[in-house]
Amino acid sequence: MKRIGLIGGMSWESTAVYYRRLNEQVREALGGLSSADIVLRSVNFSEIVALQKAGDWDAAARALGQVARELEQAGAEMVLICTNTMHLLADQVQASVGIPLIHIADVTGEAVRAAGCRRPLLLATQYTMEKEFYRRRMEESFGLDVLVPEAQERLQVHEVIFSELCCGIIRPDSKQRYLDIVEKGRAAGADSVILGCTEIGLLVSAEDFAFPTFDSTLIHADAAVRLSLGEGAATADVALLVH
């Protein structure tokens, strides 16, 4: 079993989901008292958010690169950035270490394509929905036509993530707003939905939608387990992740 390195804390609410999922999947695969070999470095999210708001992505890249090196020094044989947004810096983080970084957009994009979907609606932070790093990677690598909500809806999705989900707050009215936004996207031609922020699965899940739903957190964690157990990381286990 290869050791999994997690850059967590962004937020710790979703990092806890990663930890549980990794261990559940290893136990399911190996049985008994088996659990994942994990080294976790959890950052202070408030410091990262301050860099995001300031647009100081270079400083953020240096910070996460240092964390990745610490994980490698602790014996990690792969690294995961436990947040979609900070994959904006994935290339810089990968360049800072000699172990593979499992890119969340790659494994999620592969899951979408493998399920036969082509026009997913992306729900995420404004950074992920509006900057090109995530959508362009999916479009160029997997031939997807990634849709995003309208501007006001993107703001609403973003605010729920940071002011509620990252703080452990789950509100029925916010869930209904997400459901409405997804339904509007489906009516506009989306054939699936990507939960493209690692906290969104705390609010909604595949059971809430009538079309394929891809939870990037679970897909990412499952890819790490496959690589850890020597099964490769490229293809997501769609049966476990799609409604």
Side-chain angles (χ1 to χ4, degrees):
M1 184 187 304
K2 293 182 179 179
R3 182 169 296 168
I4 300 169
L6 301 179
I7 303 177
M10 299 175 287
S11 67
W12 70 257
E13 297 283 348
S14 62
T15 301
V17 177
Y18 272 92
Y19 185 78
R20 175 176 290 276
R21 181 71 172 193
L22 290 166
N23 282 294
E24 286 176 342
Q25 292 298 92
V26 168
R27 182 170 61 190
E28 180 174 332
L30 302 181
L33 298 177
S34 299
S35 57
D37 186 348
I38 299 169
V39 56
L40 165 65
R41 173 72 158 78
S42 189
V43 303
N44 181 350
F45 193 31
S46 67
E47 296 176 356
I48 299 298
V49 170
L51 294 175
Q52 290 176 343
K53 290 181 176 179
D56 196 348
W57 299 103
D58 289 340
R62 289 193 296 271
L64 295 193
Q66 176 59 36
V67 171
R69 287 190 291 272
E70 293 170 4
L71 291 173
E72 185 174 28
Q73 292 163 4
E77 296 171 87
M78 69 193 77
V79 62
L80 281 71
I81 305 173
C82 298
T83 163
N84 285 269
T85 295
M86 298 311 284
H87 278 75
L88 174 64
L89 310 174
D91 290 345
Q92 295 95 311
V93 174
Q94 177 64 89
S96 70
V97 293
I99 56 177
L101 179 147
I102 302 178
H103 199 296
I104 198 168
D106 288 347
V107 293
T108 303
E110 176 59 27
V112 175
R113 182 172 67 179
C117 299
R118 291 294 178 267
R119 301 193 76 206
L121 177 71
L122 175 63
L123 295 186
T125 66
Q126 283 184 293
Y127 305 114
T128 305
M129 290 187 287
E130 295 177 0
K131 292 182 180 293
E132 293 186 351
F133 74 98
Y134 199 91
R135 291 182 290 114
R136 183 176 59 208
R137 192 176 185 104
M138 287 192 166
E139 291 165 355
E140 294 179 352
S141 297
F142 303 101
L144 304 179
D145 179 14
V146 181
L147 308 180
V148 295
E150 295 179 356
Q152 184 59 32
E153 294 168 338
R154 295 197 299 268
L155 177 60
Q156 292 169 350
V157 170
H158 181 93
E159 289 180 341
V160 167
I161 291 168
F162 279 92
S163 64
E164 298 175 25
L165 302 182
C166 289
C167 301
I169 299 169
I170 307 297
R171 292 180 173 159
D173 58 330
S174 295
K175 178 174 181 175
Q176 186 57 56
R177 185 57 185 148
Y178 270 46
L179 297 180
D180 292 343
I181 290 171
V182 171
E183 177 57 26
K184 185 175 179 180
R186 189 191 65 79
D191 63 8
S192 54
V193 59
I194 295 172
L195 309 185
C197 172
T198 54
E199 285 81 22
I200 291 179
L202 300 171
L203 184 66
V204 296
S205 69
E207 286 69 30
D208 294 309
F209 304 110
F211 65 168
T213 303
F214 301 89
D215 187 328
S216 62
T217 306
L218 305 184
I219 293 170
H220 202 203
D222 291 357
V225 169
R226 288 193 301 278
L227 183 57
S228 176
L229 299 181
E231 301 172 14
T235 303
D237 190 343
V238 176
L240 290 175
L241 302 167
V242 181
H243 178 69

